[in-house]
């Protein structure tokens, strides 16, 4: 290396679909990172990706990518059911791993992934990107400062046609919205309120010909006394979009999320190119605009992963976080299936 030249982290991308491309955009902006390798079973997608990012090594079989010594770390952007074998092999080959959420489809798989990464002394980070989003960070701050009082109830209702790839709607490959999408909520809930003690859910499927539950509602009770009420659907027909309704209420007031207040009332003094806002409704006429600085959460997430490799520190989102969130998702599905509340004992 020439004097003054920065040592680069060499990355491999496994899975060059939606998230593979999305993450590569962030990585290509980082001076100390090179996208050195890529793998996708679909040769067309692989070609498009490697040409777009001028990637040195490309393979249809990711095992070959993992044999490249020059590659320090990999981003696993495969359909969820394939995270497990890819993480195990990457860890055994000594690569640091960023794995998209959900960690896996089964708890036993998640446990083994955590164990094998530990045994091989590689970093293992799960893509819970909301941890890096100033929007969710500000909501968490408002809750934890006690502005709304405690306990709080967090409502989150959303519905859409759902994800584009068919594996998302397969109960064994993606698990539908209550596993795949809502896993972000389960992680945010754990990060903010702590342990879930009980889950109740009711579920159904609107779409024909799919094996996953595509629509459902759940109540999560935390040991802290806080509650999360979630109702998600990917069951709407093509082109239809439901409303997104999110607020957090407590004994002292309510935090109203964007989309649920009149945006024309946001004061002009707030530069909305730089800041987003929540509406805080306190007692009487106490309305207040709470702003946060907009950020690129995906860039900040991957920067953290790279910094952890460079500085040899542990990522702030761990395999255990991934396992915990999956546990809640599986409990939600089980409660929907059995009609019974599910106690969470871990
Ligand atoms: N963090 C987030 O906000 C977020 C958003 C969307 C998706 N995700 C997660 O990211 C992961 C990927 O989702 P996506 O939307 O990019 O999926 P996708 O279907 O768009 O892409 C997956 C890619 O993996 C490839 N692939 C399949 N089997 C392979 C194999 N054996 N070897 C190599 N390549 C293979 C496919 O050809 C495809 O290109 C999922 O776990 C998903 O839940 C996370």
């Amino acid at each position: 290396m020439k004097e003054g030249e920065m040592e680069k982290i060499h990355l491999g991308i496994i899975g060059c679909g939606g998230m593979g491309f999305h993450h590569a955009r962030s990585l290509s902006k980082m001076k100390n990172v090179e996208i050195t390798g890529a793998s996708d079973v679909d040769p067309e997608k692989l070609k498009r990706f490697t040409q777009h990012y001028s990637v040195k090594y490309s393979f249809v079989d990711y095992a070959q990518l993992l044999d490249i010594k020059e590659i320090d770390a990999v981003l696993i952007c495969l359909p969820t059911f394939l995270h497990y074998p890819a993480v195990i092999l990457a860890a055994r080959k000594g690569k640091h791993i960023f794995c998209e959420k959900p960690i896996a489809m089964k708890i036993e798989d998640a446990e083994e992934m955590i164990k094998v990464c530990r045994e091989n002394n590689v970093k293992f980070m799960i893509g819970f990107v909301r941890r890096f989003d100033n929007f969710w960070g500000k909501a968490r701050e408002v809750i934890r400062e006690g502005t709304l009082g405690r306990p709080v109830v967090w409502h989150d209702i959303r519905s859409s046609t759902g994800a584009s790839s068919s594996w998302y709607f397969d109960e064994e490959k993606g698990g539908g919205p209550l596993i795949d999408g809502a896993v972000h909520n389960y992680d945010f809930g754990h990060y903010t309120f702590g342990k879930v003690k009980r889950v109740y859910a009711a579920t159904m499927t609107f779409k024909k010909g799919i094996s996953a539950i595509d629509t459902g509602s759940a109540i999560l009770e935390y040991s802290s006394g806080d509650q999360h009420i979630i109702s998600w659907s990917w069951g709407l027909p093509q082109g239809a979009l439901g409303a997104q309704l999110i607020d957090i209420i407590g004994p002292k007031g309510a935090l109203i999320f964007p989309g649920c207040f009149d945006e024309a009332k946001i004061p002009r003094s707030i530069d909305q190119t730089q800041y987003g806002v929540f509406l805080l409704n306190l007692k009487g006429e106490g309305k207040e605009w709470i702003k946060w600085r907009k950020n690129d959460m995906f860039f900040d997430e991957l920067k953290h992963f790279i910094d952890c490799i460079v500085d040899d520190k542990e990522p702030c989102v761990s395999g255990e976080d991934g396992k915990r969130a999956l546990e809640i998702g599986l409990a939600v599905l089980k409660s929907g299936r059995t009609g019974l509340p599910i106690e969470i004992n871990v």
Side-chain angles (χ1 to χ4, degrees):
M1 196 168 49
K2 288 183 206 141
E3 204 185 329
E5 227 173 58
M6 187 185 289
E7 194 171 344
K8 290 202 172 192
I9 299 294
H10 295 269
L11 279 187
I13 309 282
I14 301 184
C16 304
M19 286 316 284
F21 252 95
H22 191 72
H23 284 315
R25 257 196 302 278
S26 299
L27 294 170
S28 62
K29 292 181 197 155
M30 297 179 195
K31 288 196 172 63
N32 62 341
V33 170
E34 180 182 294
I35 305 173
T36 304
S39 171
D40 200 292
V41 275
D42 180 334
E44 278 307 307
K45 282 189 181 173
L46 183 60
K47 190 170 160 204
R48 201 161 2 113
F49 184 89
T50 49
Q51 284 180 351
H52 191 88
Y53 289 106
S54 311
V55 178
K56 192 165 159 192
Y57 304 105
S58 68
F59 302 99
V60 166
D61 176 4
Y62 65 72
Q64 287 178 271
L65 176 100
L66 294 171
D67 278 334
I68 304 283
K69 292 259 175 321
E70 202 178 327
I71 292 180
D72 304 297
V74 287
L75 261 56
I76 298 192
C77 303
L78 295 170
T80 305
F81 72 109
L82 296 172
H83 293 177
Y84 164 70
V87 167
I88 298 288
L89 192 59
R92 292 198 171 127
K93 296 285 179 181
K95 310 298 183 198
H96 299 299
I97 300 163
F98 173 92
C99 176
E100 261 308 338
K101 49 46 59 177
I103 184 170
M105 294 302 294
K106 296 182 194 151
I107 293 299
E108 312 83 83
D109 291 354
E111 283 171 348
E112 199 182 334
M113 290 155 87
I114 294 165
K115 182 169 160 273
V116 174
C117 287
R118 198 172 290 135
E119 283 168 359
N120 287 279
N121 202 19
V122 295
K123 315 276 176 218
F124 183 32
M125 175 167 167
I126 303 296
F128 285 134
V129 69
R130 282 191 195 170
R131 300 266 194 127
F132 300 89
D133 186 359
N134 286 350
F135 169 107
W136 287 101
K138 180 54 82 175
R140 183 171 185 268
E141 195 180 298
V142 169
I143 295 165
R144 289 169 67 96
E145 279 172 351
T147 311
L148 306 172
R150 292 292 280 270
V152 298
V153 180
W154 165 28
H155 303 110
D156 189 328
I157 301 176
R158 45 183 106 187
S159 40
S160 67
T161 307
S164 51
S165 301
S166 59
W167 62 264
Y168 278 103
F169 294 92
D170 184 308
E171 66 178 336
E172 287 176 4
K173 296 182 175 175
L178 295 172
I179 294 285
D180 187 89
V183 78
H184 284 296
N185 286 35
Y186 308 144
D187 179 64
F188 180 77
H190 180 265
Y191 179 48
T192 305
F193 306 127
K195 191 181 158 336
V196 172
K197 65 172 185 188
R198 195 175 302 118
V199 163
Y200 311 76
T203 54
M204 64 187 87
T205 298
F206 286 171
K207 284 193 168 134
K208 301 274 176 250
I210 64 163
S211 57
I213 294 292
D214 70 9
T215 300
S217 305
I219 301 175
L220 275 50
E221 287 183 338
Y222 294 85
S223 298
S224 60
D226 300 297
Q227 244 181 48
H228 179 31
I229 299 183
I230 181 166
S231 182
W232 273 27
S233 176
W234 285 352
L236 288 181
Q238 206 60 42
L241 185 66
Q244 180 167 308
L245 305 167
I246 310 178
D247 72 6
I248 303 171
I249 62 166
K252 292 188 187 167
L255 187 71
I256 316 291
F257 278 52
C260 302
F261 52 75
D262 182 357
E263 292 188 9
K265 298 221 165 101
I266 299 173
R268 286 188 172 199
S269 58
I270 297 176
D271 175 1
Q272 289 185 61
T273 62
Q274 301 288 325
Y275 293 95
V277 281
F278 295 112
L279 177 61
L280 179 64
N281 277 338
L282 297 176
K283 205 167 119 191
E285 293 302 303
K287 287 196 195 314
E288 199 184 312
W289 297 97
I290 306 272
K291 64 177 187 176
W292 76 90
R293 186 175 272 284
K294 291 179 178 171
N295 70 314
D296 181 346
M297 59 180 169
F298 286 103
F299 179 91
D300 292 345
E301 173 185 53
L302 290 183
K303 185 171 180 313
H304 175 73
F305 177 60
I306 299 298
D307 288 349
C308 287
I309 297 172
V310 172
D311 302 335
D312 192 20
K313 41 176 209 196
E314 278 313 301
C316 66
V317 193
S318 66
E320 279 81 2
D321 291 322
K323 179 187 150 196
R324 210 172 280 118
L326 175 63
E327 234 146 31
I328 308 300
L330 293 174
V332 165
L333 291 185
K334 186 172 175 189
S335 176
R337 208 165 46 240
T338 59
L340 299 170
I342 306 295
E343 306 288 329
I344 312 268
N345 295 316
V346 281

